[in-house]
Amino acid sequence: MKIMRTLKITSDEFYDYLENDLLETANQTRSSGKVRFTRSNIRPGFKVSRETGAAYSRIDLTVREYVRGKTYAATTKSVADTIDLSYTTETKEDGLYVVFEQRMHNYEAKEMNKFLRAWSDITYLRRMSNQLYDIQSKITRIRNGEEEPKPLRPLGYETAKNVAEKVNEKHMSDKKAQKKAEKAKMKEVVVSVELAPDDPKAIKAAKRKEREARTQK
């Protein structure tokens, strides 16, 4: 999927934001005493891993291409999906022209009818557009010295994180459903034992129900 938007920010603001966000995430994974990553480390092959603590939450991000002022491309991988994304920029009179491309491998491989595919694509493109305007909004807040909201992840983490969380939720839901089914099965076994033909109580209960049924007729 590809969208083009003109943002009311400068090229330096955009790439400063991308670099700072990536380095913040990368340095959070460094042990104390180790040399911190800097902008010089951001080049093809640079890899960052991040976990939220929940099952299936590990996300690996690898930079594929980076030329400050021109392009940034990366791939994020999680148990749920592999996502390729890229930003290509050009400074124009009315702002920064950004071409944003994103490919979710599992999504594109899904078989859908034409109507569902069209509707899903529209939703997909809307989310991509919102991502760009979220970046613009945060950069504007930084420029104005305003209190910043919770950090965004324009480098692919947010999309990958959402997909991973959905898989984790489904896994937990499946486990709950499995436990519920096991309990129901155990209950059925107990009931079948209680109603065994050679059980006097069961026979008495069955005869009582039969008499009630005849009375109702």
Side-chain angles (χ1 to χ4, degrees):
M1 295 286 185
K2 178 194 293 187
I3 63 170
M4 289 76 72
R5 297 289 185 274
T6 299
L7 306 181
K8 303 300 181 181
I9 57 177
T10 68
S11 177
D12 282 341
E13 287 176 326
F14 183 75
Y15 287 95
D16 282 348
Y17 179 71
L18 295 183
E19 290 174 349
N20 291 337
D21 190 71
L22 180 58
L23 291 174
E24 178 186 355
T25 302
N27 286 317
Q28 285 177 352
T29 64
R30 301 287 280 177
S31 302
S32 59
K34 288 190 176 182
V35 177
R36 294 176 65 80
F37 293 116
T38 63
R39 290 180 176 179
S40 62
N41 295 112
I42 303 177
R43 54 181 180 269
F46 183 59
K47 185 175 180 179
V48 180
S49 296
R50 182 170 179 261
E51 295 186 23
T52 64
Y56 306 106
S57 65
R58 180 185 175 88
I59 300 171
D60 296 318
L61 181 147
T62 303
V63 176
R64 301 197 319 271
E65 183 180 4
Y66 186 65
V67 180
R68 182 180 169 89
K70 291 186 178 181
T71 186
Y72 167 84
T75 296
T76 61
K77 292 184 178 181
S78 69
V79 69
D81 208 343
T82 296
I83 303 170
D84 298 322
L85 63 98
S86 68
Y87 300 104
T88 303
T89 63
E90 181 182 353
T91 300
K92 296 194 173 184
E93 291 183 1
D94 54 346
L96 186 67
Y97 182 72
V98 182
V99 178
F100 177 26
E101 294 186 70
Q102 182 168 277
R103 180 191 176 201
M104 296 178 65
H105 292 220
N106 285 355
Y107 170 80
E108 295 189 7
K110 284 183 179 179
E111 294 185 2
M112 304 182 190
N113 60 48
K114 291 183 179 180
F115 176 79
L116 183 57
R117 172 63 70 179
W119 178 259
S120 298
D121 286 351
I122 291 172
T123 302
Y124 192 158
L125 292 170
R126 185 183 297 117
R127 288 175 180 171
M128 289 176 65
S129 181
N130 289 341
Q131 281 184 302
L132 285 181
Y133 286 123
D134 283 344
I135 293 173
Q136 174 182 262
S137 176
K138 189 176 181 190
I139 289 175
T140 301
R141 292 174 66 85
I142 293 173
R143 181 197 303 157
N144 296 337
E146 299 174 9
E147 184 178 351
E148 298 177 28
K150 183 178 180 181
L152 301 169
R153 296 292 174 190
L155 298 166
Y157 271 113
E158 197 64 28
T159 302
K161 176 173 173 289
N162 289 339
V163 174
E165 285 178 347
K166 288 181 180 178
V167 170
N168 185 53
E169 288 174 1
K170 185 178 185 303
H171 173 73
M172 296 304 292
S173 177
D174 289 345
K175 287 185 69 176
K176 289 181 179 178
Q178 183 178 359
K179 287 184 178 179
K180 188 175 181 181
E182 289 174 354
K183 287 183 178 179
K185 188 174 181 180
M186 290 176 65
K187 188 176 180 181
E188 287 175 3
V189 172
V190 173
V191 171
S192 64
V193 171
E194 290 177 352
L195 299 179
D198 57 349
D199 187 338
K201 292 183 179 179
I203 296 173
K204 187 176 181 180
K207 288 182 177 180
R208 185 175 62 252
K209 287 184 178 180
E210 185 178 353
R211 286 197 299 270
E212 292 175 353
R214 290 176 180 176
T215 302
Q216 290 178 357
K217 290 182 180 181

